[in-house]
């Protein structure tokens, strides 16, 4: 069998979602590790006042492509943008482009999706399911297609505790759902959405489950591969450690914790976030593309997480609201207590301070948005899943030693503390565009915040003393009793440690 690099040589690849987080890393890796790939056709829409061409040219200037640009300044010639709005009939691809793609594409990577947890059902269905169906129809017209790789999510079946590498029966027949929703107005759809999604937490996981079923329906006609990544995070090694460009999932959590805004979050202390670096997912995707040309199956990855707050203190973000000190608890009431004490109370005080300075209050608004975002993650951070991943081991055993290094997806080699450190630095550098040279000033700012906290706490104690203790005999008696008790305990402790010495 040809190696992965050899396999992609001379091949024309179609990628949807190439402007997204994962899509960009996939394009970069293909250009870097498979330099003889013939062409990368990417489906792109105009967006935010930018034409398709402007968006692609902007994307290729991104730091992510530095090593590819250095090796081959003409790399952009291999990237062929095709105008496409995936929510439109026929994906709004022109007939000429359909002809072109039908004649030359060998492999399709379908990454595009809406990954928002609060997406209205109709839109999520349109993009995640109907567009997938349309792409499959287009794929059937491709004369030289060898593999169709669909990127799903490990949480498509999160209503189950143990998830096998199989396509489960869909919660509803997608065709029937599409037909029923067609005539309903948005208000009705919104009302019935909770009933439809049932025991799934959001429209995202629900529509991704339907999409898997839609893809599976074509398995007799196409060579299909389905990949189910879990929580995709910053890069581990490639093209450099810590590459990240969005606020999704853990990135938003890291940033909010780093800025000292997020102090408490509901999560299961025993379970860990099922984090997987984006370069690992991309390596796996390319290996699956190579293998699917021969066989069909689906895959998923794994779990880990650790000492975030220490990393955030070592690499502080600029202008933090408070010192990073985020805690997780699985207890609802404890979490609500800390939200009140550590989120809402400081926000209120700060907004009061802003009002006194004649400025517009803003902290409460920021916290309300944070609570909405964190609330949407809670379902995933509070539970644990078991995933079967036999296919990953099988695929690994099929790779040549060179491919195992070049397209490494063996996360057992990953040093998690080092990865999390690079992830934090990545969010600082690439998401927030903060300069590493500002770290001493950011540390100084944290020290200032610590001094403000000490001063505030001292004032609070003096205030409490004045209001309660100095005015009430009973409070004074309790106070003396507590102080006396502490004193006795200290004397006993000192005496017993002298004896043992
Ligand atoms: C204390 C230690 C705890 C450690 C915990 C560690 C890990 C986290 C645990 C669990 C994570 C679970 C994640 C499960 C992932 C499942 C995997 C998948 O399959 S898909 C990928 C996941 N998808 C997402 O994460 C999308 C979630 N986001 C949304 O649904 C929406 O963005 C939203 C949160 C509902 C917010 O919507 P809203 O309309 O209010 O805002 P916008 O999205 O338009 O954004 C506006 C603005 O805000 C920025 N933004 C967005 N999200 C965040 C955020 N979390 N924190 C800060 N800022 C955020 C966004 O970039 C926009 O900025 P701008 O206007 O400048 O462009
Ligand atoms: N990120 C994660 O943690 C995980 C992601 N996944 C899956 O991986 C895939 C990629 O995710 P990720 O890269 O993070 O997502 P992004 O949101 O970063 O990228 C989504 C891509 O889809 C494109 N897209 C969205 N709507 C349309 C549309 N109407 N027409 C054309 N293109 C559109 C976007 O294009 P545009 O730039 O024009 O908006 C973008 O390129 C998805 O299928 C997702 O379900 C799975 C597990 C975890």
């Amino acid at each position: 069998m040809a190696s992965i690099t050899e396999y992609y040589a001379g091949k024309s690849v179609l990628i949807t979602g190439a402007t997204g987080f994962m899509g960009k890393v996939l394009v970069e890796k293909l250009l870097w590790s498979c330099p003889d790939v013939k062409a990368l056709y990417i489906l792109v829409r105009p967006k935010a006042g930018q034409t398709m061409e402007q968006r692609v040219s902007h994307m290729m200037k991104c730091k992510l492509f530095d090593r590819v640009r250095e090796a081959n300044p003409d790399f952009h010639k291999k990237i062929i943008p095709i105008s496409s709005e995936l929510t439109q009939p026929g994906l709004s691809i022109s007939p000429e482009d359909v002809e072109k793609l039908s004649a030359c594409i060998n492999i399709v990577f379908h990454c595009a999706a809406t990954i928002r947890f609060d997406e209205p059902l109709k839109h999520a269905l349109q993009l995640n399911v109907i567009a997938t169906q349309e792409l499959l129809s287009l794929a059937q017209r491709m004369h030289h297609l060898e593999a169709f790789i669909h990127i799903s999510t490990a949480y498509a079946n999160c209503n189950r505790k143990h998830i096998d590498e199989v396509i489960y029966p869909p919660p509803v027949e997608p065709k029937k759902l599409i037909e029923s929703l067609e005539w309903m107005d948005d208000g009705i759809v919104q009302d019935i959405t909770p009933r439809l999604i049932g025991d799934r937490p959001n429209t995202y996981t629900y529509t991704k489950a339907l999409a898997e079923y839609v893809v599976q329906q074509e398995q007799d006609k196409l060579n299909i591969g389905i990949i189910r990544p879990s929580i995709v995070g910053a890069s581990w090694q490639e093209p450099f450690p810590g590459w990240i460009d969005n606020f999704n999932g853990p990135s938003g959590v890291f940033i909010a914790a780093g800025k000292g805004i997020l102090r408490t979050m509901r999560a299961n202390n025993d379970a860990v976030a099922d984090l997987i670096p984006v370069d690992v997912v991309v390596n796996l995707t390319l290996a699956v593309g190579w293998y699917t040309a021969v066989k069909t199956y689906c895959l998923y990855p794994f779990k880990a997480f650790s000492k975030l707050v220490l990393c955030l203190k070592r690499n502080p973000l600029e202008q933090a609201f408070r010192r990073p000190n985020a805690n997780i608890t699985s207890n609802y009431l404890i979490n609500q207590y800390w939200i009140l004490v550590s989120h809402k109370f400081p926000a209120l005080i700060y907004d009061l301070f802003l009002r006194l300075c004649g400025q517009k209050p803003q902290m409460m608004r920021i916290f309300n948005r944070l609570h909405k975002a964190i609330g949407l993650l809670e379902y995933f951070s509070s539970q644990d899943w078991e995933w079967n991943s036999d296919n990953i081991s099988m695929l690994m055993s099929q790779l040549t030693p060179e491919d195992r290094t070049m397209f490494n997806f063996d996360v057992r080699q990953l040093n998690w503390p080092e990865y999390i450190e690079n992830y934090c630095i990545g969010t600082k550098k690439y998401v927030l565009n903060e300069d590493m040279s500002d770290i001493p000033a950011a540390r100084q700012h944290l020290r200032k915040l610590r001094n403000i906290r000490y001063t505030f706490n001292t004032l609070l104690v003096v205030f409490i003393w004045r209001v309660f203790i100095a005015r009430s005999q009973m409070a004074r008696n309790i106070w003396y009793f507590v102080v006396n008790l502490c004193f006795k305990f200290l004397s006993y402790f000192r005496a017993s440690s002298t004896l043992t010495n």
Side-chain angles (χ1 to χ4, degrees):
M1 233 183 326
S3 74
I4 299 181
T5 304
E6 282 164 3
Y7 171 72
Y8 284 103
K11 295 276 158 52
S12 292
V13 180
L14 176 69
I15 302 173
T16 70
T19 49
F21 172 49
M22 221 185 295
K24 280 202 289 270
V25 179
L26 178 66
V27 168
E28 197 277 344
K29 177 69 180 176
L30 257 171
L31 292 167
W32 176 253
S33 295
C34 310
D36 293 328
V37 64
K38 189 167 175 197
L40 304 185
Y41 290 82
I42 60 175
L43 299 190
V44 186
R45 57 177 172 169
K47 193 177 164 187
Q50 282 191 306
T51 63
M52 173 188 78
E53 290 79 8
Q54 284 168 331
R55 292 192 70 201
V56 175
S57 135
H58 182 75
M59 171 179 132
M60 286 187 286
K61 288 191 190 113
C62 171
K63 184 174 169 50
L64 179 75
F65 290 96
D66 277 1
R67 68 173 180 181
V68 170
R69 197 178 305 107
E70 221 166 88
N72 173 15
D74 284 338
F75 80 96
H76 58 273
K77 290 189 180 152
K78 292 219 168 175
I79 299 179
I80 305 169
I82 301 281
S83 176
S84 169
E85 165 57 61
L86 295 179
T87 54
Q88 295 303 310
L91 310 176
S92 76
I93 304 179
S94 73
E96 301 78 52
D97 283 339
V98 169
E99 280 312 308
K100 202 190 311 180
L101 297 175
S102 308
C104 72
I105 295 299
N106 305 111
I107 305 116
V108 176
F109 291 108
H110 180 33
C111 298
T114 167
I115 63 167
R116 294 180 68 94
F117 291 155
D118 62 346
E119 197 70 80
L121 181 58
K122 257 191 179 179
H123 189 254
L125 193 71
Q126 185 69 49
L127 189 53
N128 294 351
V129 185
I130 302 176
T132 303
Q133 253 171 358
E134 294 263 14
L135 191 67
L136 286 160
S137 308
L138 175 63
Q140 283 180 35
R141 298 178 59 176
M142 294 173 180
H143 309 303
H144 308 290
L145 191 71
E146 291 165 20
F148 182 104
I149 308 304
H150 172 74
I151 314 293
S152 183
T153 161
Y155 299 102
N157 301 292
C158 59
N159 54 332
R160 293 171 181 270
K161 270 281 158 231
H162 179 92
I163 298 154
D164 276 317
E165 293 169 297
V166 297
I167 309 299
Y168 290 101
V172 59
E173 173 64 48
K175 202 164 156 251
K176 282 194 186 140
L177 181 69
I178 293 164
E179 280 166 7
S180 325
L181 294 195
E182 230 162 48
W183 60 267
M184 289 188 204
D185 70 34
D186 294 350
I188 302 179
V189 178
Q190 197 181 339
D191 287 346
I192 62 167
T193 297
R195 295 285 302 272
L196 284 170
I197 65 174
D199 51 4
R200 283 187 176 74
N202 50 44
T203 54
Y204 170 65
T205 51
Y206 179 74
T207 51
K208 288 297 264 189
L210 296 181
E212 282 194 358
Y213 177 74
V214 162
V215 173
Q216 190 204 28
Q217 295 304 294
E218 305 301 322
Q219 68 179 358
D220 295 338
K221 300 176 204 131
L222 301 168
N223 283 337
I224 301 284
I226 297 177
I227 301 185
R228 292 172 174 167
S230 50
I231 304 167
V232 183
S235 60
W236 168 21
Q237 292 166 319
E238 289 189 273
F240 45 83
W243 165 256
I244 178 81
D245 70 351
N246 62 67
F247 286 96
N248 294 328
S251 315
V253 173
F254 290 4
I255 291 168
K259 289 284 182 190
I261 300 175
L262 177 72
R263 316 277 290 189
T264 180
M265 180 177 167
R266 250 188 103 204
N268 180 346
N269 277 307
D270 300 324
V272 279
D274 295 296
L275 197 53
I276 188 89
V278 63
D279 44 342
V280 171
V281 178
V282 161
N283 286 344
L284 186 63
T285 303
L286 290 174
V288 172
W290 159 79
Y291 192 78
T292 302
V294 186
K295 231 182 152 72
T296 307
Y297 61 103
C298 53
L299 291 162
Y300 359 73
F302 108 169
K303 51 163 67 188
F305 190 74
S306 73
K307 310 213 163 82
L308 170 67
V309 172
L310 286 176
C311 297
L312 292 170
K313 282 186 178 157
R314 264 196 302 276
N315 310 287
L317 302 179
E318 289 168 20
Q319 290 306 314
F321 174 60
R322 295 181 69 192
R323 279 163 65 79
N325 184 14
N327 291 302
I328 53 171
T329 171
S330 53
N331 186 301
Y332 173 80
L333 286 177
I334 294 179
N335 190 47
Q336 287 304 311
Y337 169 79
W338 284 116
I339 284 182
L340 197 72
V341 171
S342 273
H343 288 181
K344 293 195 172 165
F345 185 56
L348 255 165
I349 295 189
Y350 190 70
D351 277 353
L352 192 71
F353 170 75
L354 288 178
R355 270 181 211 277
L356 291 175
C357 298
Q359 291 176 37
K360 214 172 136 212
Q362 50 162 339
M363 225 48 217
M364 216 43 182
R365 199 170 41 84
I366 293 177
F367 272 101
N368 286 338
R369 282 186 58 190
L370 176 76
H371 292 148
K372 179 186 167 195
I374 296 297
L376 290 169
L377 299 184
E378 216 171 88
Y379 177 90
F380 301 95
S381 56
S382 309
Q383 300 187 60
D384 217 0
W385 285 268
E386 257 175 43
W387 282 285
N388 182 350
S389 58
D390 292 345
N391 280 333
I392 292 198
S393 319
M394 180 280 296
L395 182 60
M396 218 171 305
S397 71
Q398 301 283 318
L399 301 192
T400 63
E402 296 75 35
D403 278 349
R404 241 174 263 165
T405 313
M406 177 92 85
F407 300 93
N408 183 12
F409 51 85
D410 184 359
V411 267
R412 286 169 306 186
Q413 299 165 10
L414 199 152
N415 176 339
W416 284 98
E418 187 183 295
Y419 171 69
I420 294 295
E421 181 107 20
N422 285 330
Y423 197 151
C424 290
I425 295 174
T427 55
K428 180 176 173 64
K429 278 165 60 175
Y430 312 120
V431 183
L432 300 176
N433 289 321
E434 293 185 6
D435 209 317
M436 292 304 277
S437 62
D438 292 339
I439 283 199
R443 288 204 182 119
Q444 178 64 28
H445 179 71
L446 289 193
R447 277 195 288 274
K448 195 172 95 188
L449 290 175
R450 189 191 51 198
N451 293 341
I452 291 176
R453 201 189 78 204
Y454 286 162
T455 313
F456 181 83
N457 287 353
T458 312
L459 290 176
L460 196 67
V461 168
V462 170
F463 176 77
I464 291 172
W465 172 266
R466 289 293 308 155
V467 171
F468 297 105
I469 303 198
R471 288 187 185 181
S472 141
Q473 184 58 45
M474 191 159 81
R476 257 199 307 275
N477 289 347
I478 295 173
W479 171 253
Y480 289 136
F481 176 74
V482 171
V483 172
N484 211 1
L485 208 68
C486 292
F487 183 71
K488 278 190 179 146
F489 177 74
L490 277 177
S491 316
Y492 168 77
F493 185 70
R494 215 174 318 148
S496 57
S497 59
T498 318
L499 276 178
T500 41
N501 287 336

